[in-house]
Amino acid sequence: MTAAGFPHDLPEGRDEPGQDEAGREPGSDEPGQDEPRQDEAGRGGAVSGPAALAAPAVASWLTALVLLGCSAVAGAAVALAAAVAGAVMWAVTRAVVRRRNQVAYLNQAAYLNQVAGPDQVADPTQAPAGKRSAAGGEEWAGAAGAAPRRRLGKQQWWTGGAAARIALAVLASVAVTAAVTACMVHGVTTGPVPDMARRDVTVTAEAEITDDPRIRPHQGGVSRRETAVVRARMLLVSAAQERYAVDVPVVLLAPADGWRPLLPSQRVRVHGRLRPAEQGEPVAAVMLVRGRPEPIGAPSAVQRAAGVLRAGLREASDVLPDDQRGLLPGLVVGDVSRLDEEVRLDLATAGLGHLTAVSGTNLAIVAGAVLVLGRFAGLPLALRAVVVVVAMMAFAVVARPSPSVLRALVMGTVAAVALGTGRTRDGVAALSATVLGLVVFDPGLARQWGFALSVFATGGILILAPRWRDRLTARRVPRLLAEALAVTAAAQAAVTPLLVLMSGRLDLAAIPANLLAEPAVAPATVLGFGAAVIAPVSIDLARLLVRPAGWAVGWIIAVAQRAADLPFASAQWFGGVAGVAALAAAAVAGWLVLRGRARRRMVVALAAGALLAGLVAMPVVSPWPPPGWLLVVCDVGQGDALALAAGPGRAVVIDAGPQPGPTDRCLRALGVRQVPLMVLTHPHLDHVGGLPGVLRRRTVGAVVVSPSRVPEGEAGRVSAQLRTARIPEWQAVPGMRWRFGPSEITVLAPEPGVAPQGPGEGATANNASVVLLVRWFEPGTAPRGLSTAQSDLPTALGDTSAAPGDLPTAQGAVAAPGAAAEAGSRLAPVPPLGPTLGPTLGPTLGAALLAGDLETEAQEALVRRGLPRVDVLKVPHHGSSRQAPAFLAATGARAALISVGAVNDYGHPAPPTLRRLRWLGMRPYRTDLSGDIAVVATADGLAVVVRGAGARAG
């Protein structure tokens, strides 16, 4: 019999003389050989373990996924229907099997009659009890004729074959899952909490936190606002005339203040408004919390211990650079509270985002390290097993014993054991049993993407990796390399359909990035876990362990950064079900093409050529930054961040966007290593939130800020960051002028001593924006004199006027695909400037007006004082509707650059503004459509080049 329980061939020598139907010598008494053989259809054979468990697990998962979005009545109906169908199938199958056993009995009796001799019992019903039939080899125990029926019935009384057994298991799992899901749905859709949520009632509640509060920054906006998302169980709720003791799951949405130090299992009192949860979410309500939480209880001992160990790891990691100190706790225990935004983006783009989620890999690494230490210490096997269990429990404490950690514990152990022993069928069966048990225990897992990704990745490693490893080793690939390639490729292949379904994205750099980063994961995890355990005892010893762990983490960050910078690190694909269908069709077509060896070689050659073209030819044909760039508007979402050319490796940065990551990546793509001057037009979050990204690994000479300190919170935060970095902070004064490379920068506004006007605090701050006039000169034509402000700059970052030939030619500048019209747009040269700024300083390439977030009041005031005409206008306030027509007309610009987020709540850019710009002869360019936008110098003047694929002008 095979592992699946089915006979593949007849026993050897079955038809040889002297052997019976079972292949035995006559009269032999071998155990286990007296059951009749079944046919190859599998009737009566043992069900394959993987098949018997995989089908019920999938059925249970799909049942929970569907019924979570239905009513409790629908779930109960499905449970009842599945139970009835299972009972009917069981009864019908049992009747069929009884009939089959009777036929088998009659066939056996006929066989005995044929071979019976004169002194033998020809009819099995007449055989005396306890006497062996020499011909049939049967021992008749008990009443005549009863034993054969009893033996056959005992073997097959409950099933008619493998398919029937699997069907019964599926129906049973569907019935149980539907019943549990119906109970869960009933619990979260009925009762006082869902009722008050439907009535939008304001309540006071006591709740027990069940998971770490997750802090989410607000994307863009005027000021920094962070939101805490907290999962909890509501235990007591009271309103004006109502008070109930309950126990239902809820989600708390609250301002982040006061939530960071709280731990799971801690009880808090909160005030706020109840709102209904989204359909299908296994929570009774969403509570919009007002104010800070009021702790009314201490966390459990286990959670306190976990908090101490995690805090110790964070404290020990303080000796590392900023990016490493944030990633190490995330890599070891999933603590991403200090993870750098740039690192997070790079990890996600490179397909390494899974490293910050606690998974079976973490547990397998810790358990493997403990096993190796136990073997070196000479511990017996039983004691080593105990030590491993203790280590895994300790890891679960550090990583918090939440459902996700317990899931990773089960799945990671299954994958490690199955791959280590080579018993992939057992591994698939165990994985199926794990999924079945977890979904029945908590049907809400069926709707979590993290759960699905974990299951698919583990399944891919168990099913695909061994086959691919064996094929690679058969082609003389070293076994360790073959193992690494197979595991990485199998996991990525398994999760790719889910990634397409989630985001419509293909992570093309994921496999090489994971191969390069994987060797550093184990040492970082082991050393980091050791540091977490030792930190409460000796923080100095923990820091000694953290330092080499930082080297490993630094390597992972470097791999992620290089992979994210590749031209095709991530490719867009069709999203949703259509994307999965297209991916499946592409996979089938690829399999058909790759079936032949010659075709495989041809495809490999074509793929290598395409990769070479992507890595080598594309940067030459369509380079970024484009040669001769003078100004780049970075695509940072809903915010502003611009770079002005200031010489090789240098740029003057105007504003920093809402977040550090996108701004840093934009400057990194431009090759900016030094920032001699930075201007923050006004202290709104969407202009200053990314300041740490500009400061990261760059030298900054000085920062010019608006004289307005509104809003005070962001202005104070900027000042504190600059003091920490020891960077001078200057207030802008009209007439200040600097020259760096080809760029001359002059401050036009705000006017000193004049209070900005506006309908509210936001408009007042916008109208106090620093307004800059930028003029670009041909290399070597402008005077080298420094202004008073510029003379205060550090010597190393002083004037660096370009010599002839310093700037590359822009003749080869080519826009991204779909943007040929933009790339070919030629802008008229700037007319001579008015007397307000003195005489013209020589031949100019062009000029730009960078107007911050000015609104109508400040725009009109600027027009009254006199406004120079320019070639390029950075449209104020992301293209909002508050634009003065006279201001736009007075600029005389031919190109209008709009920095705006693709998703924003403000309706930017406003359609009337876009129409007015076109009516004035300006061509709008938008970062939400075109990505990064560059103004470049050409032989004919200025041109605009966009970076985004398929970009188009607004």
Side-chain angles (χ1 to χ4, degrees):
M1 303 287 285
T2 67
F6 302 109
H8 280 274
D9 346 91
L10 296 173
E12 248 184 71
R14 166 179 174 162
D15 296 328
E16 293 180 5
Q19 292 184 343
D20 64 8
E21 188 75 2
R24 301 172 304 176
E25 295 293 333
S28 66
D29 196 18
E30 298 177 12
Q33 298 293 330
D34 51 359
E35 294 84 7
R37 298 275 177 174
Q38 301 300 317
D39 59 25
E40 296 233 0
R43 292 176 298 180
V47 181
S48 167
L53 288 172
V58 172
S60 178
W61 193 345
L62 294 177
T63 300
L65 184 64
V66 173
L67 293 183
L68 281 172
C70 302
S71 65
V73 174
V78 171
L80 181 61
V84 170
V88 171
M89 176 174 282
W90 176 82
V92 171
T93 304
R94 186 175 183 183
V96 170
V97 170
R98 282 182 174 177
R99 175 62 180 166
R100 187 181 298 157
N101 285 349
Q102 291 176 358
V103 172
Y105 169 75
L106 295 177
N107 291 338
Q108 189 176 26
Y111 173 78
L112 291 176
N113 284 331
Q114 292 176 6
V115 301
D119 56 343
Q120 292 178 320
V121 180
D123 187 353
T125 60
Q126 304 300 320
K131 182 174 181 179
R132 175 177 295 278
S133 170
E138 299 287 349
E139 180 176 348
W140 310 101
R149 290 191 182 93
R150 186 163 59 248
R151 183 184 295 110
L152 292 171
K154 184 176 181 181
Q155 179 188 4
Q156 293 185 340
W157 70 268
W158 64 280
T159 182
R165 282 193 288 275
I166 294 176
L168 283 172
V170 167
L171 290 172
S173 66
V174 169
V176 173
T177 305
V180 174
T181 306
C183 292
M184 172 180 281
V185 172
H186 177 76
V188 300
T189 56
T190 60
V193 173
D195 178 63
M196 287 190 286
R198 285 188 286 269
R199 291 187 283 125
D200 203 19
V201 176
T202 299
V203 301
T204 298
E206 293 182 9
E208 183 180 283
I209 301 172
T210 58
D211 201 358
D212 288 309
R214 290 178 295 169
I215 308 301
R216 294 181 175 175
H218 180 71
Q219 304 294 327
V222 172
S223 60
R224 193 178 304 269
R225 290 176 292 167
E226 293 180 323
T227 302
V229 182
V230 187
R231 290 193 173 270
R233 294 198 69 84
M234 188 171 287
L235 305 177
L236 187 67
V237 59
S238 59
Q241 303 294 330
E242 304 170 276
R243 183 180 176 87
Y244 304 98
V246 295
D247 187 5
V248 292
V250 295
V251 173
L252 309 178
L253 299 179
D257 292 342
W259 287 98
R260 281 185 173 88
L262 299 181
L263 299 174
S265 77
Q266 196 162 0
R267 192 162 176 168
V268 296
R269 182 180 291 114
V270 291
H271 308 273
R273 185 160 47 96
L274 290 177
R275 296 288 298 162
E278 290 185 10
Q279 177 130 6
E281 287 295 322
V283 293
V286 175
M287 185 173 183
L288 306 179
V289 178
R290 300 171 183 168
R292 297 168 63 92
E294 179 186 348
I296 57 175
S300 65
V302 170
Q303 295 295 348
R304 284 199 302 272
V308 169
L309 294 175
R310 290 162 71 97
L313 178 57
R314 287 194 298 269
E315 183 180 355
S317 301
D318 286 339
V319 299
L320 302 176
D322 290 344
D323 50 0
Q324 297 177 14
R325 78 178 58 162
L327 180 57
L328 181 61
L331 184 68
V332 177
V333 294
D335 182 1
V336 295
S337 59
R338 300 194 301 179
L339 183 62
D340 186 89
E341 180 66 17
E342 180 212 359
V343 174
R344 186 193 67 79
L345 288 173
D346 286 344
L347 290 172
T349 305
L352 297 173
H354 62 90
L355 295 180
T356 58
V358 176
S359 66
T361 302
N362 304 70
L363 289 169
I365 290 172
V366 171
V370 172
L371 273 176
V372 171
L373 292 176
R375 174 172 290 184
F376 278 123
L379 298 179
L381 182 60
L383 188 55
R384 290 204 303 268
V386 172
V387 173
V388 168
V389 171
V390 171
M392 295 181 73
M393 292 299 296
F395 181 84
V397 169
V398 177
R400 300 276 169 82
S402 62
S404 62
V405 174
L406 297 178
R407 179 181 72 239
L409 175 65
V410 176
M411 292 184 176
T413 303
V414 167
V417 171
L419 255 187
T421 60
R423 302 175 65 185
T424 56
R425 296 178 72 87
D426 292 347
V428 173
L431 175 62
S432 302
T434 300
V435 172
L436 180 60
L438 288 173
V439 171
V440 171
F441 175 75
D442 182 8
L445 292 174
R447 293 179 66 91
Q448 294 186 11
W449 286 111
F451 178 77
L453 290 169
S454 178
V455 173
F456 274 58
T458 306
I461 292 172
L462 292 173
I463 297 172
L464 301 176
R467 293 181 174 88
W468 293 357
R469 175 199 60 200
D470 295 341
R471 291 187 178 183
L472 289 172
T473 53
R475 289 171 170 79
R476 299 182 180 180
V477 177
R479 185 171 182 83
L480 287 178
L481 178 59
E483 189 87 35
L485 284 169
V487 169
T488 303
Q492 189 64 33
V495 301
T496 295
L498 286 180
L499 296 177
V500 168
L501 195 62
M502 289 168 56
S503 58
R505 191 186 79 237
L506 294 176
D507 294 331
L508 303 181
I511 293 178
N514 277 274
L515 285 173
L516 292 173
E518 194 64 32
V521 173
T525 301
V526 172
L527 293 171
F529 180 68
V533 174
I534 294 173
V537 179
S538 173
I539 191 65
D540 293 330
L541 184 56
R543 286 169 178 161
L544 289 177
L545 292 177
V546 160
R547 290 187 185 277
W551 301 337
V553 170
W555 170 254
I556 295 173
I557 293 173
V559 170
Q561 179 177 322
R562 298 300 185 275
D565 288 342
L566 291 175
F568 304 110
S570 181
Q572 291 299 317
W573 191 262
F574 307 102
V577 178
V580 175
L583 185 66
V588 171
W591 178 76
L592 293 174
V593 170
L594 295 175
R595 291 184 67 183
R597 178 176 298 181
R599 283 180 289 184
R600 277 200 299 269
R601 292 177 177 174
M602 181 180 67
V603 169
V604 169
L606 291 175
L611 180 62
L612 183 64
L615 296 179
V616 179
M618 284 298 291
V620 175
V621 176
S622 182
W624 194 266
W629 72 274
L630 301 172
L631 166 68
V632 170
V633 181
C634 299
D635 180 13
V636 294
Q638 184 66 15
D640 274 9
L642 298 84
L644 295 171
R650 294 153 53 93
V652 174
V653 177
I654 314 298
D655 286 328
Q659 292 181 320
T663 305
D664 179 55
R665 297 183 74 180
C666 178
L667 297 179
R668 201 169 70 208
L670 296 175
V672 175
R673 299 180 299 277
Q674 288 186 342
V675 179
L677 181 70
M678 183 175 183
V679 180
L680 298 176
T681 59
H682 62 294
H684 276 174
L685 180 66
D686 56 343
H687 291 251
V688 302
L691 177 58
V694 179
L695 303 181
R696 185 178 295 120
R697 296 185 297 272
R698 294 182 186 88
T699 304
V700 178
V703 174
V704 176
V705 300
S706 169
S708 172
R709 303 287 293 180
V710 179
E712 182 61 35
E714 287 303 319
R717 192 172 289 110
V718 167
S719 297
Q721 291 174 348
L722 296 179
R723 282 195 302 270
T724 301
R726 298 182 179 180
I727 299 173
E729 180 180 4
W730 301 335
Q731 287 192 0
V733 177
M736 298 176 76
R737 182 176 297 178
W738 301 268
R739 170 70 193 277
F740 298 98
S743 305
E744 181 193 77
I745 306 158
T746 304
V747 176
L748 299 184
E751 196 70 23
V754 178
Q757 303 297 315
E761 182 180 280
T764 300
N766 288 339
N767 284 329
S769 295
V770 178
V771 180
L772 301 174
L773 172 68
V774 181
R775 297 190 295 177
W776 295 292
F777 294 89
E778 294 180 1
T781 60
R784 297 177 179 271
L786 302 180
S787 68
T788 303
Q790 186 180 357
S791 65
D792 293 336
L793 290 173
T795 304
L797 299 175
D799 181 84
T800 55
S801 298
D806 284 352
L807 292 178
T809 179
Q811 297 292 338
V814 179
E822 288 84 342
S825 300
R826 296 293 183 263
L827 307 179
V830 64
L833 298 175
T836 56
L837 292 175
T840 303
L841 299 179
T844 61
L845 296 172
L849 183 66
L850 311 182
D853 273 3
L854 289 188
E855 299 191 19
T856 51
E857 297 84 3
Q859 292 175 10
E860 291 169 350
L862 197 58
V863 171
R864 288 193 296 269
R865 294 202 305 269
L867 192 65
R869 297 178 67 83
V870 295
D871 301 292
V872 179
L873 171 67
K874 202 288 293 183
V875 179
H877 201 199
H878 321 291
S880 74
S881 59
R882 286 178 54 79
Q883 309 287 336
F887 168 81
L888 298 178
T891 65
R894 300 292 304 278
L897 311 182
I898 305 175
S899 181
V900 63
V903 178
N904 67 81
D905 301 328
Y906 311 103
H908 296 165
T913 299
L914 294 174
R915 288 196 296 269
R916 185 173 291 119
L917 292 173
R918 295 191 185 96
W919 184 79
L920 291 171
M922 301 186 204
R923 185 168 191 171
Y925 296 86
R926 300 164 44 178
T927 57
D928 61 333
L929 299 179
S930 303
D932 296 343
I933 303 171
V935 176
V936 301
T938 70
D940 301 326
L942 300 181
V944 176
V945 179
V946 299
R947 188 181 189 188
R952 59 187 184 276

